[in-house]
Amino acid sequence: TVQAAPSKGESLLNKGDSIAVYVDAEDFDAIKAAKKGAIVKLKVLENVVRSGEKLINKGDAVFATVTSRSHGGMYGGAGNAKLTIDSTHSNAKSKVPLRGSLAIKGKSSTPKTIISVVLFPIGWLIKGGDIEFPEGKNVYKSVVTEDTPVYYQR
């Protein structure tokens, strides 16, 4: 017997529709190693459903561009990573353009630096921390940038 290929349906994601994304430990390691301009992956937090049809699967990749990246620095400056959320794909691989941003920060040692600069001129020896995994606050909101026809697997 011949098996029929899964049929595709079409729906519409409207400009401004929200899609929640998150950073998991694997994505975080890639972000931590990335340089400015690199493309990194995040994940879709929950299924995106319209009219009872699942358009985008939970856990699917969301692509983001690293717009700024610094490591912990001298004088206690904290490391940070800033990302712009770019796009994801439907479960039938049609591209969905997104807009959003997120920032992940490290710990600053500024209070220690101020004390050491005042008491001893060694503030440059105190290094701030690099970015840290955003425990409990790693969900970010992105929005669809334009009305987008989306094809999905039935």
Side-chain angles (χ1 to χ4, degrees):
T1 62
V2 176
Q3 286 224 329
S7 65
K8 290 184 180 179
E10 183 177 354
S11 188
L12 182 71
L13 285 173
N14 297 310
K15 179 178 180 175
D17 283 352
S18 179
I19 297 176
V21 302
Y22 71 97
V23 177
D24 69 9
E26 183 181 326
D27 299 333
F28 177 76
D29 288 342
I31 292 167
K32 194 169 183 175
K35 295 183 181 343
K36 181 179 177 179
I39 304 295
V40 294
K41 291 182 185 177
L42 312 173
K43 291 189 174 56
V44 174
L45 181 65
E46 51 197 23
N47 292 332
V48 176
V49 178
R50 295 290 181 275
S51 303
E53 298 288 348
K54 186 168 35 169
L55 306 182
I56 301 172
N57 297 322
K58 173 182 178 178
D60 277 357
V62 174
F63 300 95
T65 303
V66 178
T67 56
S68 169
R69 177 71 175 99
S70 66
H71 300 275
M74 292 188 292
Y75 295 100
N80 72 58
K82 292 181 182 171
L83 288 80
T84 300
I85 300 169
D86 301 318
S87 66
T88 189
H89 290 86
S90 74
N91 63 18
K93 307 298 180 220
S94 52
K95 185 176 181 177
V96 179
L98 299 173
R99 179 181 65 237
S101 62
L102 61 110
I104 302 171
K105 297 184 178 196
K107 287 196 174 162
S108 172
S109 297
T110 303
K112 291 180 195 170
T113 305
I114 292 169
I115 291 168
S116 69
V117 169
V118 170
L119 300 178
F120 317 98
I122 58 164
W124 59 274
L125 291 174
I126 297 174
K127 190 172 186 321
D130 199 2
I131 61 174
E132 297 178 349
F133 187 72
E135 297 282 347
K137 51 187 176 210
N138 62 344
V139 175
Y140 307 91
K141 178 181 165 185
S142 61
V143 295
V144 178
T145 58
E146 58 194 53
D147 290 349
T148 306
V150 176
Y151 297 97
Y152 58 89
Q153 297 287 345
R154 288 196 167 154

